Short mmCIF file of all heavy atoms in Angstrom, two decimals:
data_model
loop_
_atom_site.label_atom_id
_atom_site.label_comp_id
_atom_site.label_asym_id
_atom_site.label_seq_id
_atom_site.Cartn_x
_atom_site.Cartn_y
_atom_site.Cartn_z
N HIS A 220 14.83 -20.60 -14.97
CA HIS A 220 14.62 -19.41 -15.81
C HIS A 220 15.60 -18.23 -15.63
O HIS A 220 15.73 -17.46 -16.63
CB HIS A 220 13.17 -18.88 -15.61
CG HIS A 220 12.11 -19.74 -16.24
ND1 HIS A 220 11.68 -20.90 -15.61
CD2 HIS A 220 11.38 -19.64 -17.35
CE1 HIS A 220 10.76 -21.50 -16.36
NE2 HIS A 220 10.56 -20.75 -17.40
N ILE A 221 16.15 -18.05 -14.50
CA ILE A 221 17.14 -17.02 -14.29
C ILE A 221 18.43 -17.40 -14.89
O ILE A 221 19.02 -18.47 -14.55
CB ILE A 221 17.32 -16.64 -12.80
CG1 ILE A 221 15.96 -16.10 -12.27
CG2 ILE A 221 18.37 -15.58 -12.59
CD1 ILE A 221 15.98 -15.79 -10.77
N PRO A 222 18.98 -16.66 -15.87
CA PRO A 222 20.18 -17.04 -16.61
C PRO A 222 21.40 -17.37 -15.74
O PRO A 222 22.10 -18.34 -15.99
CB PRO A 222 20.47 -15.88 -17.50
CG PRO A 222 19.14 -15.27 -17.73
CD PRO A 222 18.41 -15.39 -16.40
N ILE A 223 21.69 -16.50 -14.73
CA ILE A 223 22.88 -16.69 -13.89
C ILE A 223 22.42 -16.92 -12.42
O ILE A 223 22.11 -15.97 -11.73
CB ILE A 223 23.85 -15.47 -13.99
CG1 ILE A 223 24.11 -15.10 -15.46
CG2 ILE A 223 25.16 -15.81 -13.26
CD1 ILE A 223 24.80 -13.74 -15.56
N ASN A 224 22.39 -18.15 -11.99
CA ASN A 224 21.89 -18.40 -10.59
C ASN A 224 22.55 -19.62 -9.98
O ASN A 224 23.06 -20.47 -10.66
CB ASN A 224 20.37 -18.48 -10.61
CG ASN A 224 19.85 -19.81 -11.00
OD1 ASN A 224 19.78 -20.74 -10.19
ND2 ASN A 224 19.47 -19.96 -12.29
N GLU A 225 22.45 -19.59 -8.66
CA GLU A 225 22.88 -20.73 -7.88
C GLU A 225 21.73 -21.14 -7.01
O GLU A 225 21.10 -20.24 -6.44
CB GLU A 225 24.11 -20.35 -6.94
CG GLU A 225 25.31 -19.78 -7.71
CD GLU A 225 26.32 -19.17 -6.72
OE1 GLU A 225 26.33 -19.55 -5.61
OE2 GLU A 225 27.06 -18.25 -7.21
N LEU A 226 21.42 -22.39 -6.82
CA LEU A 226 20.41 -22.93 -6.00
C LEU A 226 20.94 -23.69 -4.81
O LEU A 226 21.69 -24.59 -4.99
CB LEU A 226 19.44 -23.75 -6.77
CG LEU A 226 18.25 -24.42 -6.03
CD1 LEU A 226 17.38 -23.43 -5.36
CD2 LEU A 226 17.47 -25.29 -6.93
N GLU A 227 20.59 -23.26 -3.61
CA GLU A 227 21.02 -23.91 -2.39
C GLU A 227 19.87 -24.33 -1.47
O GLU A 227 18.89 -23.51 -1.28
CB GLU A 227 21.99 -23.04 -1.60
CG GLU A 227 23.21 -22.59 -2.34
CD GLU A 227 24.28 -23.65 -2.40
OE1 GLU A 227 24.11 -24.72 -1.74
OE2 GLU A 227 25.27 -23.50 -3.20
N PHE A 228 19.94 -25.53 -0.89
CA PHE A 228 18.90 -25.98 0.08
C PHE A 228 19.61 -26.14 1.41
O PHE A 228 20.64 -26.75 1.49
CB PHE A 228 18.26 -27.27 -0.36
CG PHE A 228 17.36 -27.14 -1.55
CD1 PHE A 228 17.80 -27.40 -2.87
CD2 PHE A 228 16.05 -26.63 -1.41
CE1 PHE A 228 16.96 -27.29 -3.97
CE2 PHE A 228 15.19 -26.52 -2.48
CZ PHE A 228 15.66 -26.83 -3.77
N ILE A 229 18.97 -25.66 2.46
CA ILE A 229 19.56 -25.80 3.79
C ILE A 229 18.80 -26.96 4.50
O ILE A 229 17.58 -26.92 4.58
CB ILE A 229 19.39 -24.49 4.63
CG1 ILE A 229 20.22 -23.34 3.88
CG2 ILE A 229 19.93 -24.68 6.01
CD1 ILE A 229 20.00 -22.01 4.51
N GLU A 230 19.51 -27.85 5.05
CA GLU A 230 18.89 -29.06 5.63
C GLU A 230 18.27 -28.71 6.93
O GLU A 230 18.64 -27.76 7.72
CB GLU A 230 20.00 -30.13 5.89
CG GLU A 230 20.57 -30.70 4.59
CD GLU A 230 21.56 -31.83 4.87
OE1 GLU A 230 21.86 -32.04 6.12
OE2 GLU A 230 22.06 -32.44 3.93
N ASN A 231 17.22 -29.52 7.27
CA ASN A 231 16.53 -29.50 8.61
C ASN A 231 15.86 -28.16 8.94
O ASN A 231 15.82 -27.72 10.11
CB ASN A 231 17.52 -29.83 9.71
CG ASN A 231 18.15 -31.22 9.47
OD1 ASN A 231 17.40 -32.17 9.14
ND2 ASN A 231 19.44 -31.33 9.70
N VAL A 232 15.41 -27.44 7.98
CA VAL A 232 14.71 -26.15 8.19
C VAL A 232 13.64 -25.95 7.15
O VAL A 232 13.76 -26.48 6.01
CB VAL A 232 15.73 -24.94 8.16
CG1 VAL A 232 16.27 -24.71 6.80
CG2 VAL A 232 15.13 -23.69 8.70
N ASP A 233 12.59 -25.18 7.54
CA ASP A 233 11.47 -24.99 6.58
C ASP A 233 11.62 -23.59 5.95
O ASP A 233 12.68 -23.12 5.58
CB ASP A 233 10.14 -25.14 7.33
CG ASP A 233 9.96 -24.23 8.55
OD1 ASP A 233 10.77 -23.31 8.69
OD2 ASP A 233 9.05 -24.51 9.33
N HIS A 234 10.50 -22.88 5.84
CA HIS A 234 10.48 -21.59 5.09
C HIS A 234 11.24 -20.49 5.76
O HIS A 234 11.74 -19.62 5.13
CB HIS A 234 8.99 -21.20 4.94
CG HIS A 234 8.74 -20.03 4.05
ND1 HIS A 234 8.88 -20.09 2.70
CD2 HIS A 234 8.39 -18.78 4.36
CE1 HIS A 234 8.55 -18.92 2.18
NE2 HIS A 234 8.26 -18.05 3.17
N ARG A 235 11.32 -20.51 7.15
CA ARG A 235 11.79 -19.40 7.89
C ARG A 235 13.28 -19.33 8.13
O ARG A 235 13.79 -19.25 9.26
CB ARG A 235 11.00 -19.35 9.21
CG ARG A 235 9.53 -19.30 9.02
CD ARG A 235 8.72 -19.84 10.17
NE ARG A 235 8.86 -21.29 10.27
CZ ARG A 235 8.16 -22.02 11.16
NH1 ARG A 235 7.29 -21.47 11.96
NH2 ARG A 235 8.33 -23.32 11.21
#
Side-chain angles (χ1 to χ4, degrees):
H220 287 79
I221 296 175
I223 310 167
N224 79 83
E225 306 167 23
L226 176 59
E227 299 284 351
F228 290 98
I229 300 176
E230 294 182 356
N231 302 316
V232 69
D233 57 15
H234 188 72
R235 299 156 290 186

